[in-house]
């Protein structure tokens, strides 16, 4: 079983990442414990609006690492493969390459230490050169194959250049690493010259930022063809919600009708007093109708999935997987027993009242209908904390210090700690758990740390897969640390 990974994505967003094989039946639940002082509750945050605006996902075919037929010598025997197969393998390599570069650059952009940043930047540029060489080594000679290769090659070259330039533009300013800076710049210049020599883009397109950006967006969509699964999202309970509205309206009208009959019996004939009484009754009806409907709907909706999603192959049109999605605020007494037990293992200063936001997703993967060569799909879901941050207070306090009779002060930021408990259920196997602490302020997520679980609670297994370039860089970083320790 592969572990679900929790990572920071942007300054105010996190993501979870996991992989599923053909025939898997997986239930994943995330419980966000939001301190009440953050001001986030069912009244200030609408679950449906948050889902559509701040939770984004990406589901695609996956192949472990980058050891694909495209970059292996046996793929050179093109007679044994069709154009469709070539394009699919080409797209899979290009897509995973682009995602890996994107992930590495985002993580590298969060490194603040000068030496570590430039060291990792140097390693990343070496990885880019190595992978581009492997990719171009198997360029086909047949024209009907070549156009697909050139589209992917054009995009990867431009995308790598843009990501590296962006890192340099926001890099820490120092003259100590000019050599690394020049090497990366030379790589970017070489890729720009490479595209120019291959006539991938017209001079008019190169000169116009809008044209080149839109062209690359189109090429990105082309390399996603056959790799990224098509999603058909449906809202569940539409008919049930209409019925709830009808029941709530009937209940209100029953009370209103009774009051009207009583009012007619109390007042004789049509008088101004009767008209005013009826106006007040109808006014109260409008006030309480929506409240009763919403309260009734929350009771009926509690614990039910909110959306269903069908994932289909864009080439074969076959359904690859089906998902059910939950998103709701919960009360503490509704928590599963083990989750509540995990939450109790906290330092006393962290035991504060919290609102509980539950996100759940159940996936049933088809045992067949996968395209030839694929056996795994990868899902990545991003949660934006921007709607949470809007409610937070800015740091206004100051800390004062005295040194040699001089008093100085420093402004301090207000930080909040969000606890996240993750529950993974794989088929009929026992549930596995993980707990994370997310420290954030109004402008950014400070850190994400994994916490220990109480004894007797099964921890989530380690993931057998790697995140391509990211783990390669981490392995190199660990090797450097070991070498320094030896010396």
């Amino acid at each position: 079983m592969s572990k679900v990974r929790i990572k920071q994505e942007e300054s105010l967003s996190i993501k979870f990442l996991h992989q599923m094989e053909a025939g898997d039946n997986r239930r994943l639940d995330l419980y966000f414990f939001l301190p009440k002082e953050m001001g986030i509750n069912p009244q200030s945050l609408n679950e449906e609006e948050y889902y559509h605006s701040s939770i984004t996902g990406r589901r695609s075919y996956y192949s472990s690492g980058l050891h694909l037929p495209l970059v292996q010598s046996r793929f050179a025997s093109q007679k044994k493969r069709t154009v469709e197969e070539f394009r699919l393998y080409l797209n899979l390599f290009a897509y995973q390459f682009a995602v890996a570069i994107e992930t590495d650059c985002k993580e590298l952009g969060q490194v603040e230490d000068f030496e570590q940043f430039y060291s990792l930047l140097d390693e990343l540029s070496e990885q880019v050169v190595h992978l581009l060489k492997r990719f171009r080594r198997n360029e086909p000679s047949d024209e009907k194959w070549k156009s697909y290769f050139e589209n992917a090659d054009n995009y990867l070259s431009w995308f790598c250049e843009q990501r590296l330039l962006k890192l340099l533009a926001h890099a820490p300013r120092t003259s100590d690493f000019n050599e690394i800076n020049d090497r990366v710049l030379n790589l970017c210049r070489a890729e720009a010259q490479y595209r120019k020599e291959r006539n991938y883009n017209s001079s008019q397109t190169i000169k116009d930022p809008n044209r080149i950006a839109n062209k690359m967006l189109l090429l990105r969509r082309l390399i996603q063809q056959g790799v990224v699964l098509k999603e058909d999202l449906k809202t569940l309970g539409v008919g049930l919600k209409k019925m709830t509205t009808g029941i709530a309206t009937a209940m209100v009208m029953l009370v209103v009708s009774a009051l009207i009959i009583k009012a007619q019996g109390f007042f004789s004939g049509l008088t101004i007093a009767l008209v005013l009484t009826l106006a007040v009754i109808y006014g109260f009806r409008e006030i309480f109708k929506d409240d009763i409907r919403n309260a009734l709907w929350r009771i009926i909706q509690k614990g039910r999935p909110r959306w269903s999603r069908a994932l289909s192959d864009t080439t074969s049109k076959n359904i690859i997987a089906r998902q059910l999605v939950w998103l709701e605020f919960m009360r503490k007494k509704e928590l599963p027993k083990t989750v509540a037990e995990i939450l109790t293992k906290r330092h006393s200063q962290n035991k504060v009242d919290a609102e509980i936001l539950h996100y759940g997703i159940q996936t049933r993967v088809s045992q067949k209908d996968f395209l030839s060569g694929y056996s795994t799909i990868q899902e990545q879901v991003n949660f934006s904390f921007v709607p949470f941050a809007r409610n937070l207070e800015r740091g206004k306090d100051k800390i004062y210090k005295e040194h040699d009779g001089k008093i100085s002060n420093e402004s301090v930021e207000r930080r909040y700690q969000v606890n996240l408990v993750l529950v993974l259920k794989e088929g009929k196997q026992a549930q596995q758990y993980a707990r994370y602490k997310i420290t954030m302020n109004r402008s950014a997520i400070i850190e994400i740390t994994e916490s220990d679980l109480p004894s007797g609670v099964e921890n989530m297994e380690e993931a057998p897969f790697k995140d391509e370039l990211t783990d390669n860089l981490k392995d190199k970083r660990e090797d450097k640390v070991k070498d320094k320790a030896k010396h």
Side-chain angles (χ1 to χ4, degrees):
M1 182 193 304
S2 60
K3 178 182 177 180
V4 180
R5 296 191 172 189
I6 300 291
K7 291 183 177 182
Q8 184 173 350
E9 179 69 358
E10 300 286 354
S11 59
L12 271 172
S13 67
I14 67 169
K15 70 177 180 181
F16 75 77
L17 182 76
H18 67 136
Q19 294 155 12
M20 296 169 286
E21 297 183 351
D24 279 357
N25 180 12
R26 177 173 293 185
R27 172 70 186 262
L28 185 62
D29 292 282
L30 285 78
Y31 298 90
F32 294 90
F33 296 88
L34 309 167
K36 284 186 179 294
E37 60 183 4
M38 293 178 72
I40 302 164
N41 50 55
Q43 289 72 43
S44 63
L45 183 71
N46 181 279
E47 298 103 309
E48 189 168 348
E49 290 179 2
Y50 179 73
Y51 178 80
H52 289 294
S53 65
S54 302
I55 300 179
T56 57
R58 182 169 57 195
R59 291 98 190 159
S60 63
Y61 284 118
Y62 180 83
S63 178
S64 59
L66 292 175
H67 304 291
L68 305 178
L70 175 63
V71 293
Q72 295 174 351
S73 59
R74 66 173 181 268
F75 193 74
S77 179
Q78 299 173 1
K79 294 181 180 179
K80 297 181 180 179
R81 299 191 181 274
T82 65
V83 176
E84 289 74 18
E85 287 178 320
F86 173 83
R87 187 184 182 188
L88 287 173
Y89 286 119
L90 175 81
N91 287 354
L92 179 59
F93 177 89
Y95 175 77
Q96 289 189 202
F97 186 5
V99 170
I101 289 291
E102 191 175 27
T103 301
D104 270 24
C105 289
K106 284 180 179 178
E107 293 192 359
L108 188 52
Q110 296 169 6
V111 176
E112 297 179 355
D113 181 74
F114 285 15
E115 184 176 353
Q116 185 182 18
F117 175 85
Y118 280 99
S119 175
L120 293 176
L121 178 62
D122 196 25
E123 293 169 8
L124 176 61
S125 62
E126 290 176 3
Q127 289 281 345
V128 169
V129 172
H130 174 66
L131 287 170
L132 285 175
K133 284 182 178 178
R134 289 177 61 190
F135 175 71
R136 292 163 181 168
R137 196 179 298 150
N138 295 279
E139 179 180 357
S141 56
D142 194 323
E143 287 300 322
K144 64 181 179 181
W145 300 54
K146 203 167 185 178
S147 61
Y148 296 120
F149 173 85
E150 289 178 346
N151 285 337
D153 189 30
N154 186 13
Y155 176 77
L156 291 178
S157 173
W158 179 85
F159 185 72
C160 291
E161 176 199 357
Q162 289 297 306
R163 286 292 170 173
L164 291 174
L165 288 176
K166 183 178 179 180
L167 284 173
L168 289 177
H170 298 89
R173 302 299 178 185
T174 176
S175 58
D176 297 336
F177 300 97
N178 283 340
E179 186 178 346
I180 296 176
N181 191 83
D182 291 341
R183 275 203 298 270
V184 177
L185 281 176
N186 288 333
L187 170 59
C188 295
R189 291 167 185 155
E191 287 303 312
Q193 183 63 27
Y194 171 82
R195 297 193 303 275
K196 184 177 180 180
E197 292 174 354
R198 304 272 300 202
N199 294 319
Y200 280 160
N201 309 295
S202 66
S203 58
Q204 292 86 355
T205 301
I206 295 173
K207 292 177 182 177
D208 189 342
N210 293 313
R211 291 183 65 175
I212 190 68
N214 282 287
K215 179 177 180 178
M216 293 305 166
L217 181 61
L218 175 61
L219 294 182
R220 173 88 177 206
R221 290 173 180 168
L222 289 176
I223 67 172
Q224 290 178 351
Q225 184 69 27
V227 178
V228 176
L229 302 177
K230 181 182 177 182
E231 301 179 12
D232 182 18
L233 184 70
K234 292 183 179 180
T235 302
L236 299 178
V238 175
L240 188 61
K241 190 171 186 178
K242 291 179 179 179
M243 185 177 70
T244 304
T245 302
I247 294 174
T249 303
M251 291 172 61
V252 172
M253 288 305 299
L254 184 65
V255 175
V256 168
S257 299
L259 291 175
I260 290 174
I261 293 172
K262 281 185 173 291
Q264 288 176 337
F266 184 78
F267 297 102
S268 58
L270 183 62
T271 63
I272 295 177
L274 176 60
V275 172
L276 291 175
T277 302
L278 293 178
V280 170
I281 292 173
Y282 278 105
F284 276 104
R285 186 199 70 166
E286 293 301 318
I287 292 174
F288 293 108
K289 183 179 66 175
D290 290 340
D291 291 339
I292 294 173
R293 182 194 62 195
N294 293 336
L296 191 60
W297 175 240
R298 282 193 173 275
I299 294 172
I300 295 174
Q301 180 67 19
K302 181 66 68 176
R304 294 176 179 268
R306 302 285 294 270
W307 299 275
S308 68
R309 181 187 292 115
L311 306 176
S312 58
D313 186 287
T314 56
T315 303
S316 67
K317 311 301 181 185
N318 294 327
I319 301 295
I320 303 300
R322 295 185 182 275
Q323 295 182 320
L324 294 175
V325 183
W326 289 258
L327 184 65
E328 59 187 347
F329 280 97
M330 300 179 65
R331 290 179 292 182
K332 193 172 182 179
K333 64 181 182 180
E334 297 171 342
L335 282 175
K337 183 178 178 181
T338 307
V339 174
E341 181 184 350
I342 292 172
L343 191 64
T344 57
K345 188 181 179 181
R346 292 180 293 171
H347 294 296
S348 57
Q349 67 267 25
N350 293 331
K351 292 183 178 180
V352 296
D353 290 336
E355 294 286 349
I356 304 166
L357 182 63
H358 167 239
Y359 174 87
I361 185 166
Q362 182 172 353
T363 309
R364 292 180 180 271
V365 186
S366 173
Q367 292 190 358
K368 53 183 181 178
D369 295 330
F370 275 63
L371 288 180
S372 176
Y374 299 108
S375 62
T376 306
I377 59 175
Q378 178 169 279
E379 179 178 39
Q380 173 183 315
V381 178
N382 295 359
F383 295 86
S384 173
F385 279 22
V386 172
F388 301 166
R390 293 194 190 110
N391 296 327
L392 306 185
E393 295 181 2
R394 295 185 182 274
K396 299 178 181 178
D397 296 332
K398 292 184 178 181
I399 296 294
Y400 293 87
K401 294 182 181 179
E402 182 273 330
H403 181 69
D404 294 335
K406 295 181 179 180
I407 299 176
S408 60
N409 64 77
E410 294 182 8
S411 298
V412 295
E413 60 185 10
R414 181 73 183 274
R415 293 187 174 185
Y416 302 83
Q417 186 179 98
V418 176
N419 281 276
L420 169 61
V421 177
L422 192 149
V423 185
L424 179 64
K425 172 73 172 173
E426 183 81 18
K428 296 182 179 179
Q429 300 180 24
Q431 289 181 331
Q432 294 185 332
Y433 300 85
R435 178 181 160 231
Y436 296 86
K437 291 187 293 186
I438 304 171
T439 305
M440 64 177 293
N441 58 25
R442 185 180 172 86
S443 58
I445 293 174
I446 309 301
E447 65 176 354
I448 301 176
T449 57
E450 187 170 2
S451 304
D452 295 331
L453 299 178
S455 58
V457 177
E458 187 171 354
N459 205 341
M460 206 166 290
E461 295 178 6
E462 289 297 325
F465 64 90
K466 290 194 172 186
D467 286 343
E468 290 91 22
L469 301 182
T470 302
D471 283 304
N472 288 335
L473 293 182
K474 287 181 179 177
D475 292 342
K476 285 190 175 185
R477 193 186 314 165
E478 291 174 359
D479 291 339
K480 282 190 174 184
V481 172
K482 291 179 181 177
D483 290 340
K484 286 182 180 180
K486 289 180 182 179
H487 295 298

